[in-house]
Amino acid sequence: MATESGGLLSLRVFRQDDMPDLLAHARAGNAEAFMLAEALCGALQAISNAPRKAPMICGCCPRSFPKHPFSIVLALPEVDTPMTGLSVGICKRCATEPEDIRDKAVIALRKLFPDLRPVDLGHVHQGGRA
Ligand SMILES: [Zn+2]
C-alpha cells in the first residue's frame, strides 16, 4: 500500500479564460500558481511549437490545436513538489465545463495509465477494490 500514492494524480483544469488569473497569481508570488503556470506554459508552448503537419490534438477527438479552442488539464503527481506532470488538451467541442473537461481528460489519460485514479474527483465513484 505504501507505493499506492505513486499512482495518484491531481488534475487541474485550465480553460483559456482561467489562464490570465493563474498568471496574475504566479506574478504575485504564489508558489503553487507559479509551478502550475510553468507547467501550463510548457503545454501551450508544445502546442504552438508542434509542426503544422503534426499538430497537437484533443485528447478525445481529432480536432487540432490551436486551430480549435481548447482547455488544458494538468495531471500532476499528488506529492508536495511534483517534478513531472502531464498535460492533456481538450477541445471546446468535447467539453466546456470544468467537470466535463476533467472527465474527458481522465478518459484520455487512462489510455496512457490504465490504473489512473485521480484524487480530486469527488463525483467519481471508485470501487472498493483494495
Ligand atoms: Zn475534442
Side-chain angles (χ1 to χ4, degrees):
M1 283 300 131
T3 57
E4 191 169 73
S5 60
L8 293 178
L9 292 174
S10 167
L11 299 185
R12 308 293 188 96
V13 175
F14 295 99
R15 291 177 292 181
Q16 282 173 319
D17 296 348
D18 299 331
M19 295 174 194
D21 220 40
L22 175 69
L23 294 177
H25 279 101
R27 271 194 224 102
N30 180 318
E32 189 189 20
F34 186 80
M35 185 270 293
L36 291 171
E38 264 196 337
L40 200 57
C41 286
L44 293 173
Q45 244 164 27
I47 286 171
S48 64
N49 290 345
R52 257 168 192 251
K53 288 189 174 174
M56 305 279 277
I57 60 168
C58 173
C60 292
C61 78
R63 285 190 188 86
S64 62
F65 306 141
K67 189 175 163 194
H68 299 275
F70 60 96
S71 304
I72 297 281
V73 179
L74 295 178
L76 303 164
E78 186 65 6
V79 294
D80 286 342
T81 51
M83 300 300 288
T84 57
L86 280 167
S87 61
V88 181
I90 301 295
C91 79
K92 284 200 167 178
R93 283 289 188 92
C94 285
T96 54
E97 292 306 311
E99 275 194 6
D100 296 337
I101 294 166
R102 212 159 43 174
D103 287 350
K104 297 281 185 191
V106 169
I107 293 169
L109 287 167
R110 282 224 172 96
K111 292 177 194 162
L112 300 172
F113 303 102
D115 295 334
L116 179 68
R117 296 200 291 160
V119 290
D120 60 349
L121 299 184
H123 62 284
V124 169
H125 303 289
Q126 300 291 353
R129 195 166 59 91

